[in-house]
Amino acid sequence: MYTSKIIGLGKYVPENVVTNDDLAKLMDTNDAWIQERTGIKERRHIKKGDGNSTTIMGVKAATIALDRAKLLPDDIDMIVFATLSPDMYFPGGGVEVQHLMGMRTIAALDVRNQCSGFVYALSVADQFIKTGMYKNVLVIGSENHSGGLDLSSRGRGVSVIFGDGAGAAILSRSEDKTGILSTHLHSEGEHKDQLALQGPSTGYWVPEIIADNPQENIPYYPVMNGQFVFKHAITRFAEVINEGLEENELNVSDIDLLVPHQANLRISQMIQHKFKLTDDQVYNNIQRYGNTTAASIPIALTEAWEEGKVKDGDLVVLAAFGSGFTWGSVIIKW
Ligand code: UT7
């Protein structure tokens, strides 16, 4: 069995910065509420005409990651693309990445696990490398939330949280046993309606939506039972981090850097407190980007790496929780 290692990271966020005050012009909210409840100061939104889409942002992040990995498009054997906001209902974004990056006719797989999407995608890529089937896998997390949010007061409980952006990692066969030590994935579909976008879908097509036209709960915008999700997130984050540490006979004190999915700064802080980690041991950037779902971990990991916070030999832990519910962790010896 081989080990897989992250050898290149990249990120891309749209230039358009949307502050809390900008949102307060559109809905009944305010900077103090958003910062106090979420830690978010600003996020990025794609601007109409700026040329970005979920796939395009993914390609931009992937191009940087590929360059840093010192690989060429021809070296990639598989694309795993995680998003909840694909450009089209089908096909998924992976195939367009293959085309736009001029890659061979390699495997392209789309992962739909929302906030846990990148952790799931890394795990999938890791399995293909471990078995020896592929040598280099491009893993992308990219989201275009802004176009699908209810930016009126009705949607304020959800729409202030999410932002657009993309991150990418090149996972490669490791010869020296460093890299991903283990991945741990979970789901609990009983809670699928607690954070969801109901339609348009095969369960709720456009004509039905138009016929119903409910004023209060419009199904083509995401809905979230915030407090319910929050409580489950705290529990599951802690469980799945512990699971990963135990599997590898490691302790919390072995963690050099925890990169949690950027769901809410309060969630990250509660996890930090629970594990008694210092500020230096937990990387957060939700303040600047909001929650970018499948893109949040690769964006954060890229920035941590760029800032020199991820060094050879470090124990890096990734953990995510979100809609589904799905959650997971990745334990990495860098
Ligand atoms: O990434 C995937 C997983 N997602 C998460 O982990 C998100 C988890 N949940 C959360 O982060 C938090 O629950 C939220 C940030 C979404 C909400 O914070 P909260 O402290 O749970 O607030 P709440 O929903 O209980 O709402 C408190 C009050 C309500 O008003 P009343 O009923 O007390 O009068 C809301 O209507 O805050 C009101 N409110 C707002 N006020 C100003 C809700 N959204 C806003 C807003 N601005 N944007």
Side-chain angles (χ1 to χ4, degrees):
M1 288 272 258
Y2 295 101
T3 310
S4 55
K5 188 173 183 168
I6 294 175
I7 60 161
L9 285 163
K11 72 153 216 285
Y12 174 82
V13 290
E15 278 176 26
N16 181 33
V17 176
V18 177
T19 64
N20 295 340
D21 287 338
D22 290 333
L23 290 181
K25 290 175 198 145
L26 304 171
M27 64 184 81
D28 180 15
T29 191
N30 57 78
D31 179 54
W33 190 97
I34 299 173
Q35 284 212 49
E36 188 191 317
R37 307 281 175 137
T38 71
I40 300 166
K41 295 181 179 179
E42 59 189 41
R43 74 286 294 140
R44 305 296 177 98
H45 282 183
I46 286 178
K47 219 174 184 173
K48 211 166 176 48
D50 73 1
N52 282 310
S53 70
T54 297
T55 307
I56 298 292
M57 291 192 295
V59 166
K60 289 177 180 173
T63 304
I64 296 167
L66 197 65
D67 191 49
R68 286 176 173 166
K70 298 187 173 55
L71 293 181
L72 296 169
D74 267 359
D75 296 320
I76 299 297
D77 304 311
M78 184 192 202
I79 301 157
V80 187
F81 194 106
T83 189
L84 65 71
S85 52
D87 293 353
M88 291 189 278
Y89 196 82
F90 71 85
V95 294
E96 208 185 346
V97 172
Q98 177 273 329
H99 167 62
L100 292 173
M101 294 189 72
M103 290 171 170
R104 296 172 287 121
T105 55
I106 56 171
L109 175 75
D110 283 64
V111 166
R112 294 195 45 184
N113 287 80
Q114 300 70 249
C115 299
S116 313
F118 190 76
V119 163
Y120 265 78
L122 264 191
S123 181
V124 169
D126 182 42
Q127 310 313 312
F128 278 99
I129 290 174
K130 264 186 184 158
T131 57
M133 182 158 171
Y134 294 133
K135 198 170 172 198
N136 299 309
V137 182
L138 166 60
V139 184
I140 297 174
S142 183
E143 304 285 3
N144 170 8
H145 284 299
S146 59
L149 295 173
D150 181 355
L151 293 171
S152 72
S153 295
R154 186 184 47 213
R156 66 181 183 170
V158 175
S159 52
V160 300
I161 298 168
F162 293 101
D164 301 340
I170 309 291
L171 212 59
S172 189
R173 187 184 293 171
S174 164
E175 307 292 342
D176 61 8
K177 297 283 170 211
T178 57
I180 293 181
L181 301 182
S182 63
T183 60
H184 307 270
L185 308 176
H186 295 278
S187 69
E188 193 174 29
E190 179 190 346
H191 302 309
K192 70 179 173 56
D193 296 327
Q194 301 296 330
L195 174 48
L197 178 60
Q198 201 188 335
S201 65
T202 54
Y204 204 27
W205 280 126
V206 174
E208 286 176 76
I209 292 173
I210 292 168
D212 287 358
N213 192 26
Q215 293 304 306
E216 291 304 317
N217 186 18
I218 296 182
Y220 49 78
Y221 288 126
V223 289
M224 174 167 69
N225 183 350
Q227 290 196 5
F228 188 87
V229 176
F230 194 104
K231 283 180 197 142
H232 280 254
I234 301 291
T235 309
R236 296 309 192 184
F237 264 111
E239 272 178 17
V240 83
I241 292 168
N242 275 327
E243 183 185 354
L245 292 174
E246 279 165 24
E247 164 106 2
N248 295 286
E249 295 177 1
L250 294 164
N251 297 309
V252 171
S253 57
D254 294 315
I255 298 177
D256 291 298
L257 191 68
L258 170 67
V259 182
H261 160 56
Q262 301 292 287
N264 182 323
L265 190 60
R266 305 290 159 253
I267 293 177
S268 295
Q269 287 169 336
M270 286 171 98
I271 302 299
Q272 176 177 340
H273 185 70
K274 198 172 179 110
F275 285 100
K276 298 191 174 58
L277 297 169
T278 63
D279 287 351
D280 283 347
Q281 286 172 292
V282 184
Y283 193 84
N284 290 302
N285 60 6
I286 190 171
Q287 301 90 329
R288 285 176 284 129
Y289 303 127
N291 177 348
T292 56
T293 319
S296 93
I297 288 182
I299 291 175
L301 189 57
T302 300
E303 292 201 338
W305 177 82
E306 287 170 348
E307 291 167 23
K309 292 186 170 145
V310 182
K311 297 176 292 300
D312 285 352
D314 280 357
L315 188 79
V316 179
V317 176
L318 313 179
F321 174 88
S323 160
F325 291 149
T326 59
W327 62 100
S329 65
V330 182
I331 313 291
I332 307 171
K333 186 81 176 164
W334 206 268

